[in-house]
């Protein structure tokens, strides 16, 4: 989505990868890891509308992983599958293993690596000059499953392992899940339905990314959500941090929905 990086590397909601939709084969890849890394560094997406974590941490990790995947001969689809295995493995651990200080870094590392690989598949596609709607579809399916299962796993962990002060705490993962999924779907639909400006239209000058916005988006960045699992060793600390992030996500969800509705309510400009 254009306004937040809570779930995925791209802000447009479209990161096609794989075989070219027109049937063309992927272009030649750089011969060395260093050459691949240099080419990726020169072809990064705009920092507009993303938090500092996504810009300076996740994209850079994804860049290194994409260059390594290129040298290993992996396809973007295969990198997407690796991302899903890492992420879903961490999610399964949350649901099945009793929280502890040993589990916390393992879950965090699995989620962070999955997130970085989620960035790497799109960067690898750009490096190989390949794209496909099937790649975009696969990426969105994995992302949607990730958001749904992550908070479901927290709900299961709360029920199985936590000494909750009240049953109302079981509603927190459900609220977090609702905010995450609605924001994800709302952003995708807005991007698909919003009229595109004509190529070369007047007033479409590059806009310098806002530092305030990049900081304000940090609480709803998926990387920060991953970080809260570092608190799994202490029930109170984890519940407090998770509930705080949930509240922020709900507020941002409402703000984004209002913004997107206003944008889509503006009638399109008449054709010249």
């Amino acid at each position: 989505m254009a306004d937040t990086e809570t779930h995925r590397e791209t802000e447009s909601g479209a990161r096609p990868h794989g075989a070219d939709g027109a049937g063309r084969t992927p272009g030649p890849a750089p011969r060395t890891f260093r050459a691949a890394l240099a080419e990726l560094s020169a072809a990064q997406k705009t920092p507009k509308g993303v938090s500092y974590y996504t810009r300076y941490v996740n994209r850079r990790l994804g860049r290194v992983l994409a260059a390594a995947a290129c040298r290993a001969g992996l396809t973007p689809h295969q990198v997407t599958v690796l991302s899903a295995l890492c992420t879903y493995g961490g999610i399964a651990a949350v649901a099945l293993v009793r929280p502890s200080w040993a589990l916390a870094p393992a879950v965090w590392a699995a989620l962070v690596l999955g997130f970085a690989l989620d960035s790497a598949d799109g960067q690898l596609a750009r490096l190989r000059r390949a794209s496909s709607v099937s790649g975009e579809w696969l990426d969105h399916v994995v992302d949607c499953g990730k958001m749904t299962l992550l908070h479901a796993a927290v709900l299961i962990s709360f029920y199985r392992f936590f000494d909750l002060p009240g049953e109302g705490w079981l509603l927190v993962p459900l609220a977090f899940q609702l905010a995450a999924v609605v924001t994800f779907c709302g952003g995708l639909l807005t991007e698909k339905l919003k009229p595109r400006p004509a190529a070369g239209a007047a007033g479409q000058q590059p806009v310098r990314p806002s530092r305030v916005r990049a900081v304000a988006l940090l609480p709803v960045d998926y990387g920060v959500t991953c970080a809260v699992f570092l608190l799994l060793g202490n029930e109170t600390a984890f519940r407090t941090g998770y509930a705080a992030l949930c509240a922020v996500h709900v507020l941002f969800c409402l703000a984004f929905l209002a913004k997107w509705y206003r944008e889509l309510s503006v009638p399109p400009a008449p054709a010249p």
Side-chain angles (χ1 to χ4, degrees):
M1 65 198 66
D3 298 277
T4 182
E5 286 292 335
T6 55
H7 328 292
R8 60 193 184 283
E9 192 275 335
T10 57
E11 52 276 10
S12 68
R15 188 179 60 233
H17 56 69
D20 190 282
R24 294 184 295 269
T25 56
R31 293 181 178 274
T32 67
F33 174 85
R34 181 173 295 182
L37 197 60
E39 183 172 333
L40 285 169
S41 299
Q44 287 297 296
K45 286 178 174 288
T46 172
K48 181 178 181 294
V50 300
S51 81
Y52 279 137
Y53 179 90
T54 289
R55 181 179 177 183
Y56 291 115
V57 179
N58 197 60
R59 285 182 177 177
R60 291 183 177 182
L61 286 175
R63 191 185 313 164
V64 173
L65 292 172
C70 179
R71 294 302 305 137
L74 298 180
T75 67
H77 283 57
Q78 290 170 332
V79 174
T80 301
V81 172
L82 288 176
S83 172
L85 291 175
C86 290
T87 299
Y88 292 173
I91 292 172
V94 172
L96 301 176
V97 181
R98 181 174 294 277
S100 66
W101 287 118
L103 178 66
V107 169
W108 171 79
L111 296 178
V112 167
L113 179 58
F115 189 30
L117 287 167
D118 188 33
S119 171
D121 60 5
Q123 297 197 55
L124 178 60
R126 292 196 295 275
L127 188 64
R128 295 169 62 94
R129 298 165 182 82
S131 63
S132 74
V133 292
S134 64
E136 180 181 353
W137 176 86
L138 178 63
D139 186 69
H140 292 331
V141 168
V142 170
D143 283 343
C144 188
K146 171 179 69 178
M147 283 179 294
T148 305
L149 289 176
L150 180 64
H151 303 295
V154 174
L155 176 61
I156 294 171
S157 183
F158 275 3
Y159 182 78
R160 295 185 64 195
F161 305 120
F162 281 66
D163 183 17
L164 299 174
E167 293 183 353
W169 276 96
L170 297 177
L171 298 176
V172 176
L174 295 177
F176 207 149
Q177 182 184 71
L178 177 64
V181 173
V182 169
T183 303
F184 177 73
C185 294
L188 285 180
L189 285 172
T190 301
E191 191 65 26
K192 297 297 183 184
L193 298 175
K194 190 163 57 175
R196 305 279 185 179
Q204 298 299 316
Q205 298 298 323
V207 178
R208 187 174 183 178
S210 167
R211 294 181 179 179
V212 174
R213 184 185 185 87
V215 172
L217 288 173
L218 276 172
V220 290
D221 192 296
Y222 180 74
V224 175
T225 300
C226 296
V228 79
F229 288 90
L230 288 170
L231 303 175
L232 272 175
N234 183 287
E235 289 189 8
T236 302
F238 178 74
R239 282 193 290 107
T240 302
Y242 184 82
L245 282 183
C246 172
V248 173
H249 274 74
V250 170
L251 291 175
F252 268 82
C253 177
L254 295 174
F256 285 141
L257 290 177
K259 175 180 180 293
W260 293 331
Y261 181 81
R262 288 196 303 270
E263 291 176 351
L264 294 175
S265 298
V266 177

